[in-house]
């Protein structure tokens, strides 16, 4: 009974967004260039960010799974911190680091770079932890066998560890991407423009109310679900 | 070929202690020991999966510490073969082969009967088939030294004999094999030389016959599968008698009478009877049957005569004498049957 209520709690709001749409709303969605542009911006920045950060996140996950070193447990805990910090605070924190007078002297305000950094910061734990779990499921003796057969560490990583942890890596990639494109709090602090879909939704709701925001919300939800399903299917095929 | 000099390695509270060995080219060398004795750890140090700080390992006069693991030419084969589960048998075999072809591929496939398995995935293979593929893969990698970690522990009885034959063939072709096991049968069947390991130390090493015929202490004797082996102290020279604690006097008939000795009384040389025998046998004891165990060599009767003694009898003798648990029986053996070895 309680399980059913929880399930309803998840499904009902998502379903209601679609059920409350009028036929004319669909026409609005089709002709809404601003919405289209924000979706392209969000998906493109989200994908590039996930791809770029995975180049470092996957080797880091491997090190955390395989190597024993001092402060390892602390580092594993630190990686999860972005999940628990309020995301508006993340935006502020990033602005203090990435500013002309910060540690990284870059101006990220109202830039795609800023949006990407905000997306990456809040979503990268999903990829690292999932990939780490994947590498932990790969028996170490397989890598030992590979090394003893004459493959170096890099070859062993790409021929044994990556293929065997692939499901976890893809799963982490999907989670990072999905979490990144849905980010709002950190993004709005750093970059109001170019407009991401979450920011556009907020803007429409703030300026024109619930009815104006619903078509945008429905579009974002359906696109997110589509991406999620497609990537999951790809992962299961692999 | 392989020299190990004063090798030490600590992991947690366990220490591999002053390991010194010389293994010759073409040898079949077995490390025999109980679980946790450090056998696998030693194998991992030779393979290069762990780095040691004290001691040295030389392979063909080259310091192995200076060579990365993937350049050592040492194939490591764990108990399940460690086949890569995402590659089929053919891809596993050719994993380490450059250009995807090897002049010995067809020969090895035929001699190992692998032709029908090439397109199968490792999950579809039996434990014995996995080991066969793993050995063939190691051969194709061009390794000069083969490290087997309990290679027969996870194969079924049917495949066991076949794998043993393969290991022998591998060695007969001139390959040096290091084999870790806790099973003395494997050592007896396969080894030329054996090192007995106990708590991180090598406590006896030598050729396989030396080890099994002249164990230098009780632990080695027991690990070597010898039954009725006891520590004893010389009690008198005339008659030649040893005392096994607490109070069992055994008469022997050897010229050498070390003060501290290991006495071995072969289970097959003991005569069991329900009444005291009138005979020339110097050793005769009354005992109580503690257990009766069916083994592939016959019936193993465990008798308490102050110490537990194994006696091998046939099924017919068991039923003729109506031997059962708790029954009083006599066991007798000749003084000349008792083997006396100096205790280290």
């Amino acid at each position: 009974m309680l399980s059913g209520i929880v399930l309803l709690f998840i499904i009902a709001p998502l379903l209601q967004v679609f059920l409350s749409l009028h036929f004319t709303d669909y026409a609005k969605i089709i002709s809404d260039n601003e919405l289209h542009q924000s979706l392209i911006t969000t998906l493109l920045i989200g994908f590039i960010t996930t791809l770029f950060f995975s180049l470092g996140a996957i080797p880091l996950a491997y090190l955390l799974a395989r190597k024993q070193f001092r402060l390892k447990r602390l580092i594993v805990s630190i990686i999860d911190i972005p999940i628990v910090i309020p995301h508006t605070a993340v935006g502020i924190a990033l602005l203090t680091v990435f500013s002309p007078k910060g540690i990284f002297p870059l101006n990220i305000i109202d830039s795609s770079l800023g949006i990407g950094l905000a997306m990456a910061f809040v979503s990268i734990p999903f990829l690292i932890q999932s990939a780490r779990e994947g590498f932990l499921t790969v028996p170490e003796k397989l890598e030992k066998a590979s090394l003893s057969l004459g493959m170096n560490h890099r070859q062993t990583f790409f021929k044994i560890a990556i293929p065997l942890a692939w499901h976890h890596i893809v799963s982490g990639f999907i989670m990072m991407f999905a979490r990144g494109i849905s980010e709002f709090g950190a993004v709005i602090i750093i970059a109001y423009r170019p407009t991401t879909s979450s920011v556009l939704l907020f803007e429409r709701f703030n300026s024109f109310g619930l009815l104006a925001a619903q078509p945008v919300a429905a579009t974002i939800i359906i696109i997110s679900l589509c991406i999620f399903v497609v990537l999951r299917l790809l992962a299961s095929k692999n | 070929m392989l020299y190990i000099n004063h090798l030490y390695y600590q992991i947690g509270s366990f220490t591999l202690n002053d390991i010194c060995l010389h293994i010759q080219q073409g040898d079949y060398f077995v490390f025999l020991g109980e679980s946790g004795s450090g056998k696998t750890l030693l194998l991992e140090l030779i393979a290069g999966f762990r780095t040691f700080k004290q001691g040295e390992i030389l392979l063909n006069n080259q310091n192995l510490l200076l060579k990365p693991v993937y350049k050592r030419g040492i194939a490591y084969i764990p108990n399940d073969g460690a086949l890569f589960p995402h590659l089929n048998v053919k891809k596993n075999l050719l994993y380490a082969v450059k250009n995807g072809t090897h002049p010995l591929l067809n020969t090895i496939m035929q001699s190992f009967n692998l032709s029908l398995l090439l397109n199968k995935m490792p999950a579809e293979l039996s434990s014995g088939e996995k080991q066969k593929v793993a050995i063939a893969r190691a051969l194709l990698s061009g390794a000069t030294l083969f490290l087997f970690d309990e290679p027969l522990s996870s194969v079924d009885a049917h495949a066991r004999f076949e794998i043993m034959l393969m290991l022998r063939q591998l060695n007969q072709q001139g390959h040096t094999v290091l084999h870790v096991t806790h099973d003395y049968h494997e050592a007896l069947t396969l080894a030329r030389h054996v090192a007995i390991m106990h708590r991180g130390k090598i406590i006896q090493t030598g050729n396989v016959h030396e080890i099994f015929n002249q164990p230098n202490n009780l632990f080695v004797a027991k690990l070597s599968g010898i039954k009725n082996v006891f520590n004893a102290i010389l009690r008198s020279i005339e008659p030649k008698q040893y005392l096994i604690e607490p109070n069992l006097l055994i008469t022997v008939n050897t010229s050498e009478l070390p003060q501290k000795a290991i006495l071995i009384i072969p289970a097959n040389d003991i005569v069991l009877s329900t009444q005291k025998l009138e005979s020339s046998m110097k050793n005769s004891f009354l005992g109580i049957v503690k257990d009766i165990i069916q083994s592939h060599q016959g019936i193993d009767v465990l008798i308490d005569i102050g110490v537990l003694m194994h006696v091998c009898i046939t099924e017919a003798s068991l039923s003729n004498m109506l031997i059962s648990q708790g029954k009083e029986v006599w066991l007798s053996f000749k003084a000349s049957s008792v083997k006396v070895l100096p205790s280290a």
Side-chain angles (χ1 to χ4, degrees):
Chain A
M1 176 66 180
L2 284 173
S3 310
I5 292 172
V6 169
L7 206 61
L8 189 68
F9 173 69
I10 296 170
I11 295 169
L14 298 176
L15 211 60
Q16 186 58 33
V17 169
F18 295 102
L19 293 176
S20 59
L21 284 183
H22 191 263
F23 180 72
T24 53
D25 290 328
Y26 291 102
K28 278 182 198 165
I29 290 170
I30 292 166
S31 61
D32 190 342
N33 284 335
E34 198 182 8
L35 173 60
H36 300 164
Q37 191 54 48
S38 74
L39 284 170
I40 291 167
T41 303
T42 308
L43 296 175
L44 205 60
I45 295 175
F47 186 74
I48 291 169
T49 300
T50 308
L51 203 60
F52 179 77
F53 276 88
S54 63
L55 297 178
I58 293 168
L60 174 62
Y62 182 75
L63 287 179
L64 292 173
R66 279 287 179 262
K67 303 290 174 189
Q68 299 302 325
F69 50 88
R70 286 179 69 193
L71 304 177
K72 180 177 161 179
R73 288 177 71 176
L74 179 69
I75 292 171
V76 171
S77 304
I78 286 172
I79 286 165
D80 279 339
I81 287 178
I83 295 171
V84 296
I85 297 179
H87 291 177
T88 41
V90 168
I92 300 292
L94 285 173
L95 277 181
T96 60
V97 176
F98 295 93
S99 71
K101 289 182 181 175
I103 299 168
F104 303 103
L106 293 169
N107 189 3
I108 60 167
I109 294 173
D110 283 343
S111 71
S112 299
L113 177 63
I115 295 170
L117 290 173
M119 285 179 173
F121 191 89
V122 298
S123 62
I124 203 162
F126 293 99
L127 176 56
I128 296 173
Q129 298 297 21
S130 180
R132 179 171 160 265
E133 274 175 37
F135 289 128
L136 284 172
T137 64
V138 179
E140 219 172 330
K141 65 183 167 189
L142 296 181
E143 292 177 37
K144 286 178 178 173
S146 170
L147 289 167
S148 83
L149 289 168
M151 293 292 163
N152 62 29
H153 291 279
R154 188 176 52 80
Q155 290 167 319
T156 298
F157 177 69
F158 283 109
K159 290 186 170 198
I160 304 298
I162 291 274
L164 291 177
W166 187 243
H167 282 276
H168 282 83
I169 293 170
V170 173
S171 191
F173 192 93
I174 294 168
M175 291 305 293
M176 181 178 173
F177 175 65
R179 182 65 197 84
I181 61 173
S182 63
E183 178 53 19
F184 170 71
V187 169
I188 201 161
I189 296 283
I190 294 171
Y192 207 78
R193 294 284 181 271
T195 311
T196 61
S197 48
S198 305
V199 173
L200 180 73
L201 177 63
F202 172 71
E203 201 178 58
R204 293 273 170 95
F205 177 70
N206 226 15
S207 308
F208 307 107
L210 184 63
L211 285 176
Q214 270 181 343
V216 181
T219 313
I220 292 171
I221 289 169
I222 202 154
I223 285 178
S224 300
L225 286 176
C226 286
I227 293 164
F228 192 73
V229 169
V230 167
L231 291 178
R232 279 277 175 193
L233 284 174
L234 279 176
S236 63
K237 272 188 181 176
N238 280 321
Chain B
M1 182 196 191
L2 185 76
Y3 282 92
I4 303 175
N5 296 324
H6 302 292
L7 180 70
Y8 290 82
Y9 186 81
Q10 185 157 10
I11 178 166
S13 59
F14 181 84
T15 307
L16 211 53
N17 211 335
D18 196 20
I19 304 294
C20 293
L21 274 178
H22 173 214
I23 295 163
Q24 288 177 332
Q25 170 73 41
D27 201 353
Y28 198 115
F29 199 100
V30 168
F31 294 97
L32 182 63
E34 295 173 324
S35 298
S37 59
K39 315 178 296 284
T40 297
L41 187 60
L42 179 57
L43 224 54
E44 290 193 341
L45 287 165
I46 296 167
F49 304 139
R50 296 172 184 271
T51 310
F52 51 89
K53 289 179 182 158
Q54 206 177 339
E56 65 174 357
I57 304 179
L58 303 174
L59 179 63
N60 297 326
N61 295 321
Q62 286 189 312
N63 188 343
L64 281 185
L65 267 188
L66 304 175
K67 273 195 166 187
V69 52
Y70 54 90
K71 284 187 178 172
R72 293 186 179 192
I74 299 175
Y76 169 77
I77 300 122
N79 60 352
D80 63 353
L83 297 186
F84 307 127
H86 58 302
L87 304 178
N88 66 18
V89 168
K90 188 175 183 186
K91 286 181 179 168
N92 261 286
L93 287 172
L94 295 173
Y95 180 74
V97 177
K98 284 172 188 162
N99 306 325
T101 179
H102 193 285
L104 290 177
L105 178 64
N106 286 332
T107 316
I108 288 172
M109 275 197 322
Q110 277 172 5
S111 64
F112 284 33
N113 283 330
L114 298 177
S115 306
L116 295 174
L117 305 177
L118 289 180
N119 293 318
K120 286 192 175 180
M121 297 304 282
E124 299 172 83
L125 304 181
S126 69
S127 54
E129 288 170 336
K130 282 180 189 167
Q131 272 295 355
K132 277 180 7 179
V133 176
I135 296 169
R137 183 179 68 178
L139 263 173
L140 288 167
S141 77
T144 54
L145 178 62
F146 293 77
L147 311 182
F148 287 95
D149 192 356
E150 305 266 7
L152 300 164
S153 66
S154 62
V155 297
D156 50 54
H158 171 70
R160 197 177 161 84
F161 183 69
E162 199 180 359
I163 302 295
M164 273 189 168
L165 278 179
M166 281 177 67
L167 293 170
R168 280 173 78 100
Q169 277 172 12
L170 183 73
N171 181 238
Q172 281 161 0
Q173 285 163 8
H175 298 289
T176 311
V177 176
L178 271 59
H179 174 144
V180 154
T181 183
H182 60 270
D183 183 346
Y184 71 93
H185 288 113
E186 287 177 29
L188 257 176
T189 314
L190 294 164
R192 290 188 198 181
H193 291 94
V194 176
I196 305 286
M197 293 193 70
H198 184 52
R199 294 181 183 166
K201 282 186 180 174
I202 290 177
I203 54 172
Q204 191 174 354
T205 182
N207 81 45
V208 64
H209 301 295
E210 275 170 29
I211 297 282
F212 287 95
N213 292 323
Q214 291 187 310
N216 67 8
N217 64 38
L218 198 66
F219 177 80
V220 176
K222 285 188 172 171
L223 194 70
S224 306
I226 300 170
K227 289 171 181 170
N228 301 333
V229 49
F230 307 99
N231 275 326
I233 300 163
L234 184 65
R235 170 54 71 88
S236 65
I237 293 172
E238 197 54 55
K240 294 171 178 177
Q241 281 189 324
Y242 276 90
L243 174 71
I244 298 174
E245 295 286 355
N247 55 8
L248 191 67
L249 276 176
I250 303 285
T251 306
V252 303
N253 188 20
T254 53
S255 52
E256 297 281 320
L257 293 169
Q259 193 62 37
K260 284 184 173 179
I262 297 167
L263 301 190
I264 296 171
I265 306 157
N268 289 321
D269 290 358
I270 302 173
V271 176
L272 200 62
S273 57
T274 47
Q275 291 182 334
K276 192 171 177 13
L277 295 177
E278 294 299 325
S279 76
S280 61
M281 287 188 278
K282 293 276 171 48
N283 296 292
S284 196
F285 305 95
L286 181 65
I288 293 168
V289 175
K290 284 284 169 189
D291 208 349
I292 300 165
I293 302 159
Q294 186 89 37
S295 78
H296 60 280
Q297 291 163 329
I299 308 284
D300 187 1
V301 185
L302 209 57
I303 298 160
D304 185 357
I305 56 166
V307 294
L308 282 178
M309 196 76 84
H310 291 264
V311 182
C312 274
I313 59 169
T314 61
E315 205 148 337
S317 304
L318 184 76
S319 54
N320 286 343
M321 287 190 277
L322 300 169
I323 292 171
S324 58
Q325 264 184 354
K327 185 171 181 173
E328 282 195 339
V329 288
W330 283 88
L331 57 83
S332 316
F333 50 91
K334 291 179 179 175
S336 59
S337 294
V338 183
K339 204 167 180 179
V340 180
L341 300 171
S343 176

